[in-house]
Amino acid sequence: MLSAVSTASRALGPRSRRFAQCTSSLSQKAWPLGLRQEPHHLPHASSRSASSEAGPDAAEADAQKSVVLSKRLPQDFVQNTLMPHLESQLLDSIHVYTPAELAQIARTYSKQENRQRALCVKLADTVKFRMPAFEAVDIIDILGPLWIMVPDDDELFEMFEAKILEKLDDFTALNFMGVIRVYNKRAEK
């Protein structure tokens, strides 16, 4: 019976194959409505399974008929399609992210060569709005990327100063070194 299931699983699609493998260990009594474990009685079996059981030549013919050629992505897909789409989605839904997620977004977006100014400003405004929820580790993660994206937002960095003083006990010496490096760059401005 196991060989019948494995033979049928080759002729079925991936979901039907998984179903056949998972149900092969069930006893005959466990099947609902008296279904048997024979391949042609499986619920997900397709009409291809009957033609595939005719022989290996029929299975090869079916496989050759179902070849789907996909187009290659254009070279400028990321720049002209993917990035504008992601930026648009972020602009619409940035207000729902947690401080840790905002830090991850800022870190990733600050590494991009071409940044949308509106998204950088919206990210900074969202961070200002979410400032009470920020912890020390979130501040460390987001401070550098925000300095890269919006170095001219004095209100944001003043809010970070107040939050850093509030969470002073949660920072380590290495964390303070990172904070000092960012604020030294601000002093040069």
Side-chain angles (χ1 to χ4, degrees), residues 63-136:
Q64 288 179 352
K65 289 180 188 175
S66 64
V67 172
V68 176
L69 299 175
S70 63
K71 290 184 178 180
R72 289 181 170 253
L73 292 175
Q75 289 182 349
D76 61 347
F77 174 78
V78 171
Q79 183 179 0
N80 292 335
T81 306
L82 182 64
M83 284 303 293
H85 173 73
L86 291 175
E87 289 167 344
S88 168
Q89 293 299 314
L90 281 173
L91 277 171
D92 291 340
S93 63
I94 200 162
H95 61 279
V96 299
Y97 293 112
T98 64
E101 292 168 335
L102 289 172
Q104 189 174 10
I105 291 168
R107 193 175 330 116
T108 303
Y109 198 59
S110 69
K111 294 177 184 176
Q112 299 300 315
E113 292 177 19
N114 301 322
R115 291 185 286 271
Q116 197 181 94
R117 179 72 180 160
L119 180 57
C120 295
V121 170
K122 178 94 178 216
L123 179 62
D125 290 342
T126 305
V127 169
K128 290 177 201 174
F129 178 72
R130 296 281 181 138
M131 190 61 72
F134 272 79
E135 296 294 326

Side-chain angles (χ1 to χ4, degrees), residues 23 28 42-43 54 64-65 75 81 119 125 150 152 160 184 187:
T23 58
Q28 197 68 12
L42 292 174
Q64 288 179 352
K65 289 180 188 175
Q75 289 182 349
T81 306
L119 180 57
D125 290 342
V150 283
D152 56 339
F160 271 128
N184 278 341

Side-chain angles (χ1 to χ4, degrees), residues 5 17-26:
V5 171
R17 190 175 314 128
R18 182 179 292 144
F19 179 78
Q21 290 170 348
C22 292
T23 58
S24 65
S25 63
L26 293 175

Side-chain angles (χ1 to χ4, degrees), residues 33-60:
L33 303 174
L35 291 174
R36 296 189 315 253
Q37 283 184 307
E38 296 175 18
H40 59 279
H41 290 290
L42 292 174
H44 291 84
S46 65
S47 61
R48 278 190 339 183
S49 64
S51 65
S52 299
E53 290 176 7
D57 294 330
E60 289 177 19

